[in-house]
Amino acid sequence: MDVLSAMAVFVRVVDLKSFSLAASELGISSSSVSKQISHLEQHVGARLLQRTTRRLSVTEVGAAYHEKCQAILADVDEAENLVSQLQGKPRGLLRINCNMTFGQLLLSKAIPEFMAAYPDVQLEVALDDSDVELLKEGFDLALRIAHPKLPDSSLIARQIASIPLFLCATPSYLAQHGHPQTPEDLRQHNCLVFMLASNTNLWTLTNAEGSQTVQVSGDLKANNSLLVLQAALAHRGVANLASFVIERYVEEGRLELLLPEFQAEQLSLYAIYPDRKYSPPKVSLFIEFFQGWLENNLQQKLHCQSRS
Amino acid sequence: MDVLSAMAVFVRVVDLKSFSLAASELGISSSSVSKQISHLEQHVGARLLQRTTRRLSVTEVGAAYHEKCQAILADVDEAENLVSQLQGKPRGLLRINCNMTFGQLLLSKAIPEFMAAYPDVQLEVALDDSDVELLKEGFDLALRIAHPKLPDSSLIARQIASIPLFLCATPSYLAQHGHPQTPEDLRQHNCLVFMLASNTNLWTLTNAEGSQTVQVSGDLKANNSLLVLQAALAHRGVANLASFVIERYVEEGRLELLLPEFQAEQLSLYAIYPDRKYSPPKVSLFIEFFQGWLENNLQQKLHCQSRS
DNA sequence: CAATATTAATTCCATAAAGATAATAATCAT
DNA sequence: ATGATTATTATCTTTATGGAATTAATATTG
């Protein structure tokens, strides 16, 4: 019997308090879960889980064993990371979690290049705006726009890019409501607010003379920049969006950049990853790669255009 | 693939520097060893052993992984011991190592009773007078007569019985050479020396007035008490043997106890076992059992007879 | 409060993977 | 080069896996 995989199954069952949930999460059948737990119980010679078809409880020995198993599985992981690191060659499954829109627009373009360059690394990407518990969920790497809260001290957050925001609106909207000439003018406009961090109603603009913060208002707040974008494209108002979101629309002339002499805020992109003793090369490799990729692909065209 | 058992195989291969030795020691086929190592290498994504059919060397990553594996296997063991201990029920394989003669004469009699009382414990007994490295060899418990040297601080030695030695010789020998009346008289006798510890030529005898040590000599020294016994039974001289060795011959009248008012040395029987965080109940169970058994079966008859 | 519905673990059976034995290939000593 | 020894491969047997049917326990509902 494969004790180690049975341990992994057992740990997952205890965490989720369900055979079937653990099964589907682990991608195996529930019958396999059932059998593996049974075998594990036989192996250690004690009942680990008290179960009826309806309720699941962990026995005293089960709880103690669960702790041990977690430690053992972590050690096994560490051993494999150690080998990876000594070996140097990036390899294995890299599980990435990324913000929704950023993932759709940018990460999605970088991934094929990465795959081509490193065929021995398998990718599994989840796009998700909620602050999942990254380690618990088994991600190797999370890409997060805006300052991450790191309740877990075993995580490292490293800023790998700055993402400039740009004020924009459609020519049609501007024709109707006028071009803002100063930041103060924004108060008179319908501002479409992208809620990413807190204080999203405050837009800060900087030029050579200093920066000023304007409290804006409008009839849309959304936590997804594509929603804000669509509203802007539909002539609903002024949006403050990341370069990579509006790029192609600015190029097409469907959106016009406002107050080009001002620099809007910059969002930061953070790579968040476990602070492990031996971190597998695939993680740092991807971070290096992506950082390089972003430098080449992120803040090129709009910058020129806006500052020209 | 069963990573854990593959790790165990790998560790054994590295220790023994041979696939085939590891196979025979682990009781599996060498093809299985070969496959498991290959799979493990695939799994971690690195070559662990550099091997030709003729020579075997451990790669750098292999050496590092080997260390990790040892720790992991120890932890798995500890986890199972923990379960055993919480569970309380003695169970599993108990591997005992014991001195040759003691094992043949006493342990051999205790074992069937133990087996009957605790059917869930499987026994594997090795009789061996050499000071094997107990932990390395995978024994749970060693029974050793005489003071053990414990180079390994992770071992506990617990005295579980005193084994009285008795001076004896055949009536025929005594008729020819006379009965010794004082310890000093032993110098005139051919003393058959059982070499167990050092200084085996010195016999210490104690009575109400104190103890005296006599340097004896003779034409036989042996490291096995049955050899000494046979020599004594063949009228070759005076022996100083453990009660359990000579018991039946004294009863039969083939051996006669000498200087009955004196107490000869006592050997100590030690139980030696790993000082583990969670020691499995089977070990302490056996020690308790055997200690009790020895109290009932060891120093009964001869004591009465000798002191009467 | 009882009968039923529902959900979750287990068992049964067909298939896939892993293990053992025996034969093969490979390497170093003589 | 040959032989002795050791790892690998081939074939067969045993064991594990996944899906359907079963069993069991609580929630629901009349």
Side-chain angles (χ1 to χ4, degrees):
Chain A
M1 201 244 324
D2 186 345
V3 176
L4 206 55
S5 74
M7 280 183 177
V9 170
F10 171 65
V11 166
R12 226 53 216 119
V13 167
V14 171
D15 289 349
L16 299 170
K17 295 194 190 310
S18 156
F19 277 46
S20 39
L21 281 182
S24 65
E25 191 178 290
L26 292 165
I28 60 177
S29 65
S30 61
S31 69
S32 178
V33 171
S34 179
K35 280 178 198 164
Q36 292 204 49
I37 297 291
S38 295
H39 285 152
L40 194 62
E41 288 182 328
Q42 273 202 317
H43 176 73
V44 301
R47 189 150 255 260
L48 299 172
L49 299 168
Q50 201 57 35
R51 50 197 183 278
T52 70
T53 52
R54 210 61 181 182
R55 200 174 304 283
L56 196 73
S57 64
V58 185
T59 64
E60 196 185 344
V61 288
Y65 192 62
H66 174 253
E67 256 189 68
K68 287 281 170 191
C69 286
Q70 281 185 315
I72 288 165
L73 293 168
D75 284 349
V76 170
D77 217 53
E78 187 179 295
E80 282 162 24
N81 288 341
L82 168 64
V83 170
S84 263
Q85 206 179 57
L86 285 175
Q87 173 80 342
K89 292 177 194 152
R91 202 191 70 96
L93 179 64
L94 176 63
R95 299 189 63 199
I96 302 177
N97 185 294
C98 180
N99 283 115
M100 185 69 76
T101 307
F102 181 79
Q104 288 175 330
L105 295 178
L106 280 178
L107 183 62
S108 61
K109 292 179 187 161
I111 278 175
E113 292 184 28
F114 181 82
M115 289 166 69
Y118 304 100
D120 286 342
V121 179
Q122 281 80 49
L123 288 176
E124 188 176 304
V125 185
L127 299 186
D128 190 343
D129 279 329
S130 67
D131 275 356
V132 289
E133 280 199 56
L134 299 169
L135 276 181
K136 277 271 177 189
E137 307 284 335
F139 291 108
D140 299 302
L141 171 63
L143 299 170
R144 281 280 173 276
I145 286 181
H147 318 279
K149 322 141 197 153
L150 292 184
D152 202 324
S153 63
S154 64
L155 291 175
I156 293 176
R158 191 173 121 198
Q159 185 187 329
I160 62 171
S162 281
I163 298 174
L165 297 179
F166 292 88
L167 293 173
C168 58
T170 56
S172 157
Y173 171 86
L174 293 169
Q176 199 171 344
H177 297 85
H179 283 69
Q181 299 303 323
T182 68
E184 276 300 314
D185 289 349
L186 289 171
R187 291 178 179 279
Q188 313 309 322
H189 285 266
N190 189 40
C191 292
L192 308 168
V193 174
F194 170 43
M195 310 185 297
L196 206 145
S198 46
N199 292 340
T200 43
N201 271 37
L202 300 175
W203 289 0
T204 299
L205 296 169
T206 307
N207 67 357
E209 291 157 30
S211 62
Q212 45 193 303
T213 300
V214 190
Q215 171 138 22
V216 299
S217 61
D219 54 13
L220 175 68
K221 284 185 181 180
N223 73 345
N224 185 297
S225 48
L226 290 186
L227 280 175
V228 175
L229 170 69
Q230 291 305 327
L233 289 173
H235 324 296
R236 301 296 321 145
V238 176
N240 190 18
L241 287 169
S243 52
F244 64 84
V245 175
I246 56 170
E247 204 169 51
R248 49 171 291 210
Y249 302 100
V250 174
E251 277 170 31
E252 290 172 4
R254 294 181 62 191
L255 285 176
E256 205 169 305
L257 296 180
L258 308 178
L259 301 171
E261 65 280 12
F262 285 88
Q263 165 77 59
E265 280 174 284
Q266 301 217 340
L267 294 175
S268 291
L269 176 68
Y270 290 87
I272 304 159
Y273 51 96
D275 182 11
R276 285 192 277 218
K277 203 166 172 186
Y278 307 102
S279 96
K282 61 188 178 186
V283 175
S284 49
L285 174 79
F286 187 88
I287 293 174
E288 300 300 324
F289 170 87
F290 195 45
Q291 190 161 24
W293 189 90
L294 286 173
E295 270 166 29
N296 291 330
N297 296 73
L298 184 58
Q299 38 209 22
Q300 300 289 349
K301 299 164 247 174
L302 280 187
H303 260 288
C304 307
Q305 206 163 333
S306 119
R307 308 284 171 259
S308 63
Chain B
M1 201 246 323
D2 186 344
V3 176
L4 204 56
S5 74
M7 281 182 176
V9 170
F10 170 65
V11 166
R12 226 53 215 120
V13 167
V14 171
D15 289 348
L16 299 171
K17 296 196 189 309
S18 156
F19 276 48
S20 40
L21 280 182
S24 65
E25 190 179 290
L26 291 165
I28 61 176
S29 63
S30 64
S31 72
S32 178
V33 172
S34 179
K35 276 190 208 167
Q36 293 203 48
I37 297 292
S38 294
H39 285 153
L40 194 63
E41 287 182 329
Q42 272 203 319
H43 177 74
V44 301
R47 187 152 258 259
L48 300 171
L49 299 169
Q50 201 57 39
R51 48 197 185 279
T52 70
T53 52
R54 211 59 182 179
R55 201 174 302 284
L56 196 74
S57 65
V58 185
T59 65
E60 194 185 346
V61 288
Y65 193 61
H66 175 251
E67 254 189 70
K68 288 280 171 193
C69 285
Q70 281 186 316
I72 288 165
L73 292 169
D75 284 350
V76 169
D77 216 53
E78 185 179 296
E80 282 162 25
N81 289 340
L82 168 65
V83 170
S84 263
Q85 204 179 58
L86 285 175
Q87 173 81 345
K89 292 177 196 152
R91 203 191 72 95
L93 179 64
L94 176 62
R95 299 190 63 200
I96 302 177
N97 184 294
C98 181
N99 283 114
M100 186 69 77
T101 307
F102 182 79
Q104 288 174 330
L105 295 178
L106 280 178
L107 183 62
S108 62
K109 293 178 185 161
I111 279 175
E113 293 184 29
F114 181 81
M115 289 167 70
Y118 304 100
D120 286 342
V121 178
Q122 282 80 50
L123 288 176
E124 189 177 302
V125 184
L127 298 187
D128 191 342
D129 279 329
S130 67
D131 274 356
V132 290
E133 279 198 58
L134 298 168
L135 277 182
K136 277 271 178 189
E137 307 284 335
F139 290 108
D140 299 302
L141 172 64
L143 300 169
R144 280 280 174 277
I145 286 180
H147 318 280
K149 323 145 196 148
L150 292 185
D152 202 325
S153 63
S154 65
L155 291 175
I156 293 175
R158 192 172 120 197
Q159 186 187 328
I160 63 170
S162 283
I163 297 174
L165 296 178
F166 291 89
L167 294 172
C168 58
T170 57
S172 157
Y173 171 85
L174 293 170
Q176 199 171 342
H177 298 85
H179 283 70
Q181 298 302 323
T182 68
E184 276 302 315
D185 290 351
L186 290 171
R187 292 178 177 279
Q188 312 310 323
H189 285 267
N190 191 40
C191 292
L192 308 168
V193 173
F194 170 45
M195 309 185 298
L196 206 143
S198 48
N199 292 338
T200 42
N201 271 36
L202 301 175
W203 288 0
T204 301
L205 296 169
T206 308
N207 68 355
E209 290 157 30
S211 63
Q212 44 193 304
T213 299
V214 190
Q215 171 139 20
V216 300
S217 62
D219 54 12
L220 176 68
K221 284 185 182 182
N223 74 344
N224 184 296
S225 49
L226 290 185
L227 279 175
V228 176
L229 171 69
Q230 291 303 326
L233 288 174
H235 323 295
R236 299 301 317 147
V238 175
N240 189 21
L241 287 169
S243 53
F244 64 84
V245 176
I246 56 170
E247 202 169 53
R248 47 172 293 208
Y249 303 99
V250 174
E251 275 170 33
E252 288 173 2
R254 293 179 63 190
L255 285 175
E256 204 168 307
L257 296 181
L258 308 179
L259 301 173
E261 66 278 12
F262 284 88
Q263 164 78 57
E265 281 175 283
Q266 302 218 339
L267 295 176
S268 291
L269 176 69
Y270 290 87
I272 303 159
Y273 51 96
D275 182 12
R276 286 192 275 218
K277 205 166 171 186
Y278 308 101
S279 96
K282 61 188 178 187
V283 175
S284 49
L285 174 79
F286 187 86
I287 294 174
E288 300 299 325
F289 169 86
F290 194 45
Q291 189 161 26
W293 188 90
L294 287 172
E295 270 165 28
N296 291 329
N297 296 73
L298 184 58
Q299 38 211 20
Q300 299 290 348
K301 297 165 244 173
L302 281 186
H303 260 288
C304 307
Q305 206 164 332
S306 119
R307 308 285 170 262
S308 64

